[in-house]
Amino acid sequence: MLKSCADTRKRKDCDARAGKVVSRGSALFGKQEALQKGGARKCYEELISQNELLATCDIVDEMLAQAYSCTDADAMERIVDTCRGTKDRHFARLVESHMDGIIAHARHHISSGRVEVTNCMIKTLRRAG
C-alpha cells in the first residue's frame, strides 16, 4: 500500500465501499471469501505524517515519475533539481548517478529493456549449454 499511487489507493477505497470481492472462497481449501479492505488513503496519510523520510520518498517518487513522463528536458531538469534539494544525501547521489539516463529518456523515450532481455537470454543459453 505504501508504494501504491494515489489513483490506486482511491480505487481500492471505492472498491471497498462497493463490497468488491478480491479473493473467492474455496470449500476445498477451507478459504473464505475476502473483500477489499477500506481505509487505504487514511492509513497511507498516517504513515506519511509519522515519518519524514517516507514523506520525502513519496514526494521524490512522484517528481521522478513526472520527470520520466516529460518530453521537455528543461522541465524535467527542474523536477530533478527539486529532488536533489531534499535533505537526504542518498537521493541526491541517486539522482546524480542516473542523470544521464534520465535526460536521455526525456529526450528520446528509448528504453534499454530489449537489450537487457537479450543479455538475459544469452546468459540463460550459455548456462544451458
Side-chain angles (χ1 to χ4, degrees), residues 22-58:
V22 291
S23 177
R24 290 183 283 160
S26 171
L28 178 65
F29 297 110
K31 186 177 173 185
Q32 294 182 349
E33 182 176 85
L35 299 176
Q36 179 68 51
K37 294 179 183 177
R41 194 179 101 238
K42 182 181 176 186
C43 184
Y44 175 78
E45 288 173 357
E46 286 177 15
L47 283 171
I48 292 297
S49 68
Q50 294 172 3
N51 192 323
E52 185 179 332
L53 182 59
L54 288 178
T56 305
C57 289
D58 188 50

Side-chain angles (χ1 to χ4, degrees), residues 25 42 64 68 71 83 86 98 100 118:
K42 182 181 176 186
L64 286 176
Y68 274 111
T71 55
C83 294
T86 60
H98 291 89
D100 293 336
T118 304

Side-chain angles (χ1 to χ4, degrees), residues 58-73:
D58 188 50
I59 292 167
V60 170
D61 182 44
E62 289 178 19
M63 295 190 92
L64 286 176
Q66 287 177 352
Y68 274 111
S69 65
C70 283
T71 55
D72 180 23

